[in-house]
Amino acid sequence: MLDRVWSLPVIRFLAVPWLLSLAPPAWAADGPELFAIPVDFILFAATLLGVALFHHHVLKVALGGLAVIVLYKITVTGFKTGDGIAGFGAHMAHEWVLLVNLFCLLVGFALLARHFEDSGVPDVLPKLLPESWLGPFVLLVIIWVLSGFLDNIAAALIGGTVAASVFKRRLHLGYLAAIVAASNAGGAGSVVGDTTTTMIWIAGISPLEVAPAYVASAVALVVFGVPAALQQNRHQPIVRHLHAVHHVDWARVGVVLFMLVAAVVTNVTVNIKFPDLADDFPFLGVAVWIALLLAVPLRKPEWSLVPEAVKGTVFLLALVTCASMMPVEKLPLASWQTTLGLGFVSSVFDNIPLTELALKQGGYDWGFLAFAVGYGGSMLWFGSSAGVAVANLFPEARSIGKWLLHGWHIPIAYVVGFFVMLLLIGWNPGEGPKMSPVVAPAVSMTPANAN
């Protein structure tokens, strides 16, 4: 059996850094390093590189990378919660709420998106959107606005569902990236729009200190939205000549609203009234599924979507689990340069521990931080939960190379938006958290990087 496992190219590819770490490497205070880089980061980078090279087998790569990283942590460095298997168990006991929340939300919102698609609303939208490239651009604006008061995963899935209808599923990859970017950017300035901003809010920082992120977010929307809309319009314009008169199934619209309201009310109630319980139970994910099941007598969900949604979700959870074991505390102290870098880091590392670290450090301008960690995950398809959710609907998006090639405007918009905000508002570090930061539920209501 071991010979068969070792014969897998992905396992050998990922195991090399771990095996090298068992030889006499340089040792930092808390673990071995190769070329002055902690082996933890090398293993995670190898996993991400494996995703890029073997993008038709991303689930196997992610699970293989997770297995190698867990083995390395158990046998070499241990965890912050302890050494060996006991330390791993304690670490997972701390992470399980986040992982279950993500699982329930991603699978649940995949069913929610189908409810919305079957409601008939997407078929009516072509009559409301402008002609030419302005049509796809206005759709991105709608997604951006929705994400400010809805979960960014839901906004991305609803936007993707609408786009699939009005463009007859012929979506340019650059436009898919823009849908993800619009959903992440839209929640960056709202404490109920993204998990990371919710974490900042729970830590006792005023929503007014987060709101300036909308300056950078709005600039970024224009910078990536116009070229993405042009890409989509050339690839497939909006189809307006519908063959039949469509009516809206208001019962399905009601189901969608019911699920979203349940998520928002649960998230706000738990985070405001019972913040100490947020780490103990996946309230948000459970609330979404309770709402979904209560609505079954009214309209049944498309259960056939569950297997593929579960597969994509397990992939995300594997990456999130890997990221949770990284020594992110080695980041430099707060500055606008550090914050700019965090946006790029959040495209490959989970933005939740990055945000938690920033809260512990203090000294950040919280508007800049919210934009950086919220929007930064859009640069790669697995850099945010919204990106993974959209990739579940459109598997062709699961290619790092193609995402970077066709979504070139996403990182450019990040840099432009960041520096416009820096010029107009300036770097104004706020006061530190007034209480110990609490890790919020994984979806933004912010507030994944998968980030």
Side-chain angles (χ1 to χ4, degrees):
M1 173 63 73
L2 291 177
D3 290 340
R4 291 178 60 190
V5 172
W6 180 251
S7 66
L8 294 173
V10 170
I11 296 298
R12 287 184 292 181
F13 174 78
L14 295 170
V16 168
W18 172 64
L19 292 175
L20 288 174
S21 72
L22 299 180
W27 278 77
D30 52 357
E33 296 180 343
L34 291 173
F35 310 109
I37 302 173
V39 173
D40 315 63
F41 287 112
I42 295 175
L43 288 171
F44 194 31
T47 302
L48 299 176
L49 181 59
V51 170
L53 296 176
F54 307 101
H55 58 266
H56 294 298
H57 306 281
V58 292
L59 180 58
K60 295 178 181 178
V61 173
L63 292 177
L66 175 61
V68 171
I69 291 172
V70 168
L71 181 60
Y72 167 74
K73 300 290 286 187
I74 289 175
T75 58
V76 180
T77 65
F79 302 82
K80 293 179 182 178
T81 51
D83 295 330
I85 295 177
F88 174 66
H91 175 79
M92 294 308 296
H94 180 266
E95 295 292 326
W96 79 272
V97 171
L98 170 65
L99 298 175
V100 172
N101 260 328
L102 271 176
F103 182 87
C104 292
L105 287 165
L106 287 171
V107 178
F109 280 130
L111 298 176
L112 177 148
R114 178 53 64 89
H115 269 309
F116 186 79
E117 184 176 2
D118 293 343
S119 71
V121 172
D123 295 325
V124 176
L125 280 179
K127 301 177 181 178
L128 306 178
L129 297 175
E131 296 282 354
S132 72
W133 65 271
L134 286 175
F137 178 76
V138 169
L139 181 54
L140 293 177
V141 174
I142 292 172
I143 295 169
W144 185 81
V145 172
L146 286 176
S147 187
F149 57 89
L150 296 179
D151 165 57
N152 59 348
I153 295 178
L157 287 174
I158 290 173
T161 302
V162 171
S165 176
V166 299
F167 300 116
K168 299 305 178 184
R169 292 199 67 86
R170 295 193 70 246
L171 294 175
H172 193 281
L173 191 53
Y175 192 71
L176 284 175
I179 289 174
V180 173
S183 66
N184 288 332
S190 167
V191 294
V192 294
D194 189 271
T195 302
T196 53
T197 52
T198 297
M199 291 173 62
I200 295 172
W201 184 27
I202 294 172
I205 294 166
S206 169
L208 295 178
E209 294 192 46
V210 177
Y214 272 129
V215 173
S217 175
V219 172
L221 175 65
V222 175
V223 173
F224 74 75
V226 172
L230 292 171
Q231 286 175 323
Q232 181 58 45
N233 190 61
R234 288 193 298 266
H235 184 68
Q236 171 64 62
I238 291 177
V239 177
R240 293 185 175 277
H241 300 291
L242 304 178
H243 299 293
V245 177
H246 296 273
H247 72 281
V248 175
D249 185 345
W250 292 108
R252 288 197 184 274
V253 173
V255 170
V256 171
L257 293 176
F258 179 53
M259 290 177 64
L260 292 175
V261 169
V264 171
V265 170
T266 300
N267 193 58
V268 172
T269 301
V270 172
N271 289 335
I272 293 179
K273 299 293 185 181
F274 312 102
D276 294 337
L277 299 178
D279 286 338
D280 299 329
F281 188 78
F283 292 100
L284 186 55
V286 171
V288 167
W289 273 87
I290 289 176
L292 177 68
L293 294 176
L294 287 176
V296 166
L298 186 62
R299 289 292 185 272
K300 291 183 179 179
E302 185 59 64
W303 297 115
S304 63
L305 299 175
V306 170
E308 190 63 27
V310 168
K311 182 179 178 181
T313 300
V314 170
F315 164 74
L316 168 68
L317 297 185
L319 292 182
V320 169
T321 305
C322 290
S324 73
M325 294 184 283
M326 295 297 107
V328 294
E329 68 278 0
K330 296 186 177 181
L331 292 170
L333 296 177
S335 67
W336 70 259
Q337 294 92 338
T338 298
T339 308
L340 177 66
L342 283 179
F344 293 100
V345 173
S346 69
S347 67
V348 291
F349 289 99
D350 185 17
N351 60 1
I352 291 176
L354 293 177
T355 304
E356 184 180 7
L357 173 62
L359 289 168
K360 289 179 180 178
Q361 287 180 319
Y364 280 89
D365 182 310
W366 304 112
F368 278 96
L369 181 73
F371 173 69
V373 298
Y375 178 86
S378 311
M379 291 184 244
L380 292 175
W381 72 268
F382 57 82
S384 67
S385 299
V388 174
V390 168
N392 282 346
L393 294 179
F394 305 95
E396 63 270 22
R398 295 175 182 173
S399 170
I400 294 177
K402 291 181 179 178
W403 188 278
L404 292 173
L405 176 63
H406 299 291
W408 55 267
H409 35 71
I410 305 299
I412 292 176
Y414 170 67
V415 174
V416 173
F418 189 97
F419 280 105
V420 168
M421 183 177 173
L422 189 63
L423 290 172
L424 294 180
I425 298 179
W427 175 261
N428 301 295
E431 295 182 3
K434 297 178 177 61
M435 58 177 161
S436 298
V438 179
V439 177
V443 168
S444 275
M445 283 180 195
T446 305
N449 178 21
N451 212 263

PDB file of all heavy atoms in Angstrom, residues 298-318:
ATOM      1  N   LEU A 298     -42.007  24.156   0.311  1.00  0.00           N
ATOM      2  CA  LEU A 298     -42.405  25.192  -0.636  1.00  0.00           C
ATOM      3  C   LEU A 298     -41.757  24.966  -1.996  1.00  0.00           C
ATOM      4  O   LEU A 298     -42.426  24.954  -3.027  1.00  0.00           O
ATOM      5  CB  LEU A 298     -42.028  26.573  -0.085  1.00  0.00           C
ATOM      6  CG  LEU A 298     -42.504  27.786  -0.875  1.00  0.00           C
ATOM      7  CD1 LEU A 298     -44.030  27.824  -0.917  1.00  0.00           C
ATOM      8  CD2 LEU A 298     -41.958  29.063  -0.241  1.00  0.00           C
ATOM      9  N   ARG A 299     -40.439  24.782  -2.003  1.00  0.00           N
ATOM     10  CA  ARG A 299     -39.706  24.488  -3.236  1.00  0.00           C
ATOM     11  C   ARG A 299     -38.516  23.602  -2.895  1.00  0.00           C
ATOM     12  O   ARG A 299     -37.702  23.938  -2.044  1.00  0.00           O
ATOM     13  CB  ARG A 299     -39.200  25.780  -3.912  1.00  0.00           C
ATOM     14  CG  ARG A 299     -40.271  26.645  -4.540  1.00  0.00           C
ATOM     15  CD  ARG A 299     -40.902  25.979  -5.750  1.00  0.00           C
ATOM     16  NE  ARG A 299     -41.845  26.866  -6.418  1.00  0.00           N
ATOM     17  CZ  ARG A 299     -43.129  26.979  -6.117  1.00  0.00           C
ATOM     18  NH1 ARG A 299     -43.627  26.264  -5.106  1.00  0.00           N
ATOM     19  NH2 ARG A 299     -43.919  27.808  -6.786  1.00  0.00           N
ATOM     20  N   LYS A 300     -38.420  22.462  -3.584  1.00  0.00           N
ATOM     21  CA  LYS A 300     -37.311  21.541  -3.330  1.00  0.00           C
ATOM     22  C   LYS A 300     -36.045  22.030  -4.020  1.00  0.00           C
ATOM     23  O   LYS A 300     -36.081  22.495  -5.159  1.00  0.00           O
ATOM     24  CB  LYS A 300     -37.654  20.139  -3.838  1.00  0.00           C
ATOM     25  CG  LYS A 300     -38.743  19.437  -3.055  1.00  0.00           C
ATOM     26  CD  LYS A 300     -38.971  18.028  -3.577  1.00  0.00           C
ATOM     27  CE  LYS A 300     -40.060  17.313  -2.775  1.00  0.00           C
ATOM     28  NZ  LYS A 300     -40.296  15.938  -3.290  1.00  0.00           N
ATOM     29  N   PRO A 301     -34.900  21.923  -3.345  1.00  0.00           N
ATOM     30  CA  PRO A 301     -33.642  22.293  -3.994  1.00  0.00           C
ATOM     31  C   PRO A 301     -33.216  21.239  -5.010  1.00  0.00           C
ATOM     32  O   PRO A 301     -33.764  20.126  -5.037  1.00  0.00           O
ATOM     33  CB  PRO A 301     -32.640  22.379  -2.833  1.00  0.00           C
ATOM     34  CG  PRO A 301     -33.268  21.691  -1.685  1.00  0.00           C
ATOM     35  CD  PRO A 301     -34.729  21.538  -1.959  1.00  0.00           C
ATOM     36  N   GLU A 302     -32.248  21.565  -5.835  1.00  0.00           N
ATOM     37  CA  GLU A 302     -31.710  20.636  -6.828  1.00  0.00           C
ATOM     38  C   GLU A 302     -30.625  19.803  -6.154  1.00  0.00           C
ATOM     39  O   GLU A 302     -29.444  20.104  -6.211  1.00  0.00           O
ATOM     40  CB  GLU A 302     -31.128  21.417  -8.012  1.00  0.00           C
ATOM     41  CG  GLU A 302     -30.641  20.549  -9.149  1.00  0.00           C
ATOM     42  CD  GLU A 302     -31.744  19.673  -9.714  1.00  0.00           C
ATOM     43  OE1 GLU A 302     -32.723  20.200 -10.250  1.00  0.00           O
ATOM     44  OE2 GLU A 302     -31.607  18.433  -9.592  1.00  0.00           O
ATOM     45  N   TRP A 303     -31.059  18.694  -5.510  1.00  0.00           N
ATOM     46  CA  TRP A 303     -30.135  17.886  -4.719  1.00  0.00           C
ATOM     47  C   TRP A 303     -29.012  17.272  -5.559  1.00  0.00           C
ATOM     48  O   TRP A 303     -27.950  16.928  -5.024  1.00  0.00           O
ATOM     49  CB  TRP A 303     -30.876  16.784  -3.988  1.00  0.00           C
ATOM     50  CG  TRP A 303     -31.885  17.258  -2.984  1.00  0.00           C
ATOM     51  CD1 TRP A 303     -33.226  17.090  -3.017  1.00  0.00           C
ATOM     52  CD2 TRP A 303     -31.615  17.990  -1.769  1.00  0.00           C
ATOM     53  NE1 TRP A 303     -33.828  17.666  -1.931  1.00  0.00           N
ATOM     54  CE2 TRP A 303     -32.860  18.226  -1.144  1.00  0.00           C
ATOM     55  CE3 TRP A 303     -30.447  18.475  -1.167  1.00  0.00           C
ATOM     56  CZ2 TRP A 303     -32.962  18.915   0.063  1.00  0.00           C
ATOM     57  CZ3 TRP A 303     -30.548  19.162   0.032  1.00  0.00           C
ATOM     58  CH2 TRP A 303     -31.798  19.375   0.638  1.00  0.00           C
ATOM     59  N   SER A 304     -29.211  17.140  -6.858  1.00  0.00           N
ATOM     60  CA  SER A 304     -28.182  16.536  -7.709  1.00  0.00           C
ATOM     61  C   SER A 304     -26.906  17.373  -7.768  1.00  0.00           C
ATOM     62  O   SER A 304     -25.855  16.886  -8.197  1.00  0.00           O
ATOM     63  CB  SER A 304     -28.722  16.325  -9.125  1.00  0.00           C
ATOM     64  OG  SER A 304     -29.056  17.564  -9.724  1.00  0.00           O
ATOM     65  N   LEU A 305     -26.995  18.644  -7.344  1.00  0.00           N
ATOM     66  CA  LEU A 305     -25.817  19.507  -7.349  1.00  0.00           C
ATOM     67  C   LEU A 305     -24.880  19.224  -6.177  1.00  0.00           C
ATOM     68  O   LEU A 305     -23.720  19.661  -6.185  1.00  0.00           O
ATOM     69  CB  LEU A 305     -26.239  20.979  -7.284  1.00  0.00           C
ATOM     70  CG  LEU A 305     -27.102  21.516  -8.435  1.00  0.00           C
ATOM     71  CD1 LEU A 305     -27.522  22.945  -8.123  1.00  0.00           C
ATOM     72  CD2 LEU A 305     -26.334  21.460  -9.740  1.00  0.00           C
ATOM     73  N   VAL A 306     -25.370  18.534  -5.163  1.00  0.00           N
ATOM     74  CA  VAL A 306     -24.607  18.371  -3.928  1.00  0.00           C
ATOM     75  C   VAL A 306     -23.267  17.668  -4.125  1.00  0.00           C
ATOM     76  O   VAL A 306     -22.242  18.134  -3.612  1.00  0.00           O
ATOM     77  CB  VAL A 306     -25.465  17.665  -2.862  1.00  0.00           C
ATOM     78  CG1 VAL A 306     -24.622  17.277  -1.655  1.00  0.00           C
ATOM     79  CG2 VAL A 306     -26.622  18.568  -2.437  1.00  0.00           C
ATOM     80  N   PRO A 307     -23.189  16.524  -4.851  1.00  0.00           N
ATOM     81  CA  PRO A 307     -21.896  15.834  -4.953  1.00  0.00           C
ATOM     82  C   PRO A 307     -20.774  16.710  -5.511  1.00  0.00           C
ATOM     83  O   PRO A 307     -19.664  16.733  -4.956  1.00  0.00           O
ATOM     84  CB  PRO A 307     -22.202  14.658  -5.893  1.00  0.00           C
ATOM     85  CG  PRO A 307     -23.655  14.394  -5.691  1.00  0.00           C
ATOM     86  CD  PRO A 307     -24.270  15.742  -5.502  1.00  0.00           C
ATOM     87  N   GLU A 308     -21.044  17.443  -6.591  1.00  0.00           N
ATOM     88  CA  GLU A 308     -20.002  18.283  -7.174  1.00  0.00           C
ATOM     89  C   GLU A 308     -19.668  19.455  -6.242  1.00  0.00           C
ATOM     90  O   GLU A 308     -18.496  19.852  -6.127  1.00  0.00           O
ATOM     91  CB  GLU A 308     -20.459  18.819  -8.529  1.00  0.00           C
ATOM     92  CG  GLU A 308     -19.364  19.509  -9.330  1.00  0.00           C
ATOM     93  CD  GLU A 308     -18.222  18.593  -9.707  1.00  0.00           C
ATOM     94  OE1 GLU A 308     -18.449  17.377  -9.823  1.00  0.00           O
ATOM     95  OE2 GLU A 308     -17.089  19.090  -9.869  1.00  0.00           O
ATOM     96  N   ALA A 309     -20.689  20.002  -5.576  1.00  0.00           N
ATOM     97  CA  ALA A 309     -20.435  21.094  -4.632  1.00  0.00           C
ATOM     98  C   ALA A 309     -19.593  20.612  -3.460  1.00  0.00           C
ATOM     99  O   ALA A 309     -18.694  21.326  -2.989  1.00  0.00           O
ATOM    100  CB  ALA A 309     -21.756  21.672  -4.134  1.00  0.00           C
ATOM    101  N   VAL A 310     -19.862  19.407  -2.996  1.00  0.00           N
ATOM    102  CA  VAL A 310     -19.075  18.845  -1.887  1.00  0.00           C
ATOM    103  C   VAL A 310     -17.625  18.646  -2.313  1.00  0.00           C
ATOM    104  O   VAL A 310     -16.690  18.948  -1.560  1.00  0.00           O
ATOM    105  CB  VAL A 310     -19.688  17.510  -1.416  1.00  0.00           C
ATOM    106  CG1 VAL A 310     -18.729  16.765  -0.488  1.00  0.00           C
ATOM    107  CG2 VAL A 310     -21.012  17.767  -0.701  1.00  0.00           C
ATOM    108  N   LYS A 311     -17.422  18.155  -3.527  1.00  0.00           N
ATOM    109  CA  LYS A 311     -16.058  17.933  -4.026  1.00  0.00           C
ATOM    110  C   LYS A 311     -15.272  19.239  -4.049  1.00  0.00           C
ATOM    111  O   LYS A 311     -14.127  19.306  -3.581  1.00  0.00           O
ATOM    112  CB  LYS A 311     -16.122  17.324  -5.427  1.00  0.00           C
ATOM    113  CG  LYS A 311     -14.766  17.002  -6.032  1.00  0.00           C
ATOM    114  CD  LYS A 311     -14.925  16.378  -7.405  1.00  0.00           C
ATOM    115  CE  LYS A 311     -13.573  16.105  -8.047  1.00  0.00           C
ATOM    116  NZ  LYS A 311     -13.718  15.510  -9.411  1.00  0.00           N
ATOM    117  N   GLY A 312     -15.867  20.296  -4.591  1.00  0.00           N
ATOM    118  CA  GLY A 312     -15.182  21.581  -4.628  1.00  0.00           C
ATOM    119  C   GLY A 312     -14.967  22.156  -3.243  1.00  0.00           C
ATOM    120  O   GLY A 312     -13.934  22.789  -2.974  1.00  0.00           O
ATOM    121  N   THR A 313     -15.906  21.917  -2.353  1.00  0.00           N
ATOM    122  CA  THR A 313     -15.787  22.449  -1.003  1.00  0.00           C
ATOM    123  C   THR A 313     -14.682  21.742  -0.225  1.00  0.00           C
ATOM    124  O   THR A 313     -13.927  22.382   0.518  1.00  0.00           O
ATOM    125  CB  THR A 313     -17.133  22.300  -0.263  1.00  0.00           C
ATOM    126  OG1 THR A 313     -18.133  23.031  -0.972  1.00  0.00           O
ATOM    127  CG2 THR A 313     -17.031  22.822   1.152  1.00  0.00           C
ATOM    128  N   VAL A 314     -14.566  20.437  -0.388  1.00  0.00           N
ATOM    129  CA  VAL A 314     -13.498  19.688   0.289  1.00  0.00           C
ATOM    130  C   VAL A 314     -12.130  20.194  -0.162  1.00  0.00           C
ATOM    131  O   VAL A 314     -11.195  20.296   0.629  1.00  0.00           O
ATOM    132  CB  VAL A 314     -13.651  18.184   0.035  1.00  0.00           C
ATOM    133  CG1 VAL A 314     -12.425  17.415   0.515  1.00  0.00           C
ATOM    134  CG2 VAL A 314     -14.898  17.655   0.733  1.00  0.00           C
ATOM    135  N   PHE A 315     -12.025  20.523  -1.448  1.00  0.00           N
ATOM    136  CA  PHE A 315     -10.772  21.094  -1.946  1.00  0.00           C
ATOM    137  C   PHE A 315     -10.434  22.381  -1.199  1.00  0.00           C
ATOM    138  O   PHE A 315      -9.307  22.584  -0.731  1.00  0.00           O
ATOM    139  CB  PHE A 315     -10.886  21.356  -3.447  1.00  0.00           C
ATOM    140  CG  PHE A 315      -9.829  22.280  -3.981  1.00  0.00           C
ATOM    141  CD1 PHE A 315      -8.529  21.855  -4.151  1.00  0.00           C
ATOM    142  CD2 PHE A 315     -10.142  23.595  -4.299  1.00  0.00           C
ATOM    143  CE1 PHE A 315      -7.552  22.711  -4.629  1.00  0.00           C
ATOM    144  CE2 PHE A 315      -9.175  24.458  -4.775  1.00  0.00           C
ATOM    145  CZ  PHE A 315      -7.876  24.010  -4.943  1.00  0.00           C
ATOM    146  N   LEU A 316     -11.416  23.274  -1.075  1.00  0.00           N
ATOM    147  CA  LEU A 316     -11.185  24.523  -0.359  1.00  0.00           C
ATOM    148  C   LEU A 316     -10.797  24.262   1.089  1.00  0.00           C
ATOM    149  O   LEU A 316      -9.854  24.856   1.611  1.00  0.00           O
ATOM    150  CB  LEU A 316     -12.438  25.398  -0.398  1.00  0.00           C
ATOM    151  CG  LEU A 316     -12.418  26.595   0.559  1.00  0.00           C
ATOM    152  CD1 LEU A 316     -11.379  27.607   0.135  1.00  0.00           C
ATOM    153  CD2 LEU A 316     -13.782  27.232   0.662  1.00  0.00           C
ATOM    154  N   LEU A 317     -11.513  23.361   1.747  1.00  0.00           N
ATOM    155  CA  LEU A 317     -11.239  23.105   3.152  1.00  0.00           C
ATOM    156  C   LEU A 317      -9.833  22.546   3.356  1.00  0.00           C
ATOM    157  O   LEU A 317      -9.189  22.832   4.372  1.00  0.00           O
ATOM    158  CB  LEU A 317     -12.284  22.132   3.720  1.00  0.00           C
ATOM    159  CG  LEU A 317     -13.729  22.631   3.724  1.00  0.00           C
ATOM    160  CD1 LEU A 317     -14.635  21.629   4.412  1.00  0.00           C
ATOM    161  CD2 LEU A 317     -13.841  23.986   4.388  1.00  0.00           C
ATOM    162  N   ALA A 318      -9.358  21.759   2.395  1.00  0.00           N
ATOM    163  CA  ALA A 318      -7.990  21.244   2.492  1.00  0.00           C
ATOM    164  C   ALA A 318      -6.987  22.395   2.462  1.00  0.00           C
ATOM    165  O   ALA A 318      -6.034  22.427   3.255  1.00  0.00           O
ATOM    166  CB  ALA A 318      -7.718  20.258   1.356  1.00  0.00           C
TER     167      ALA A 318
END
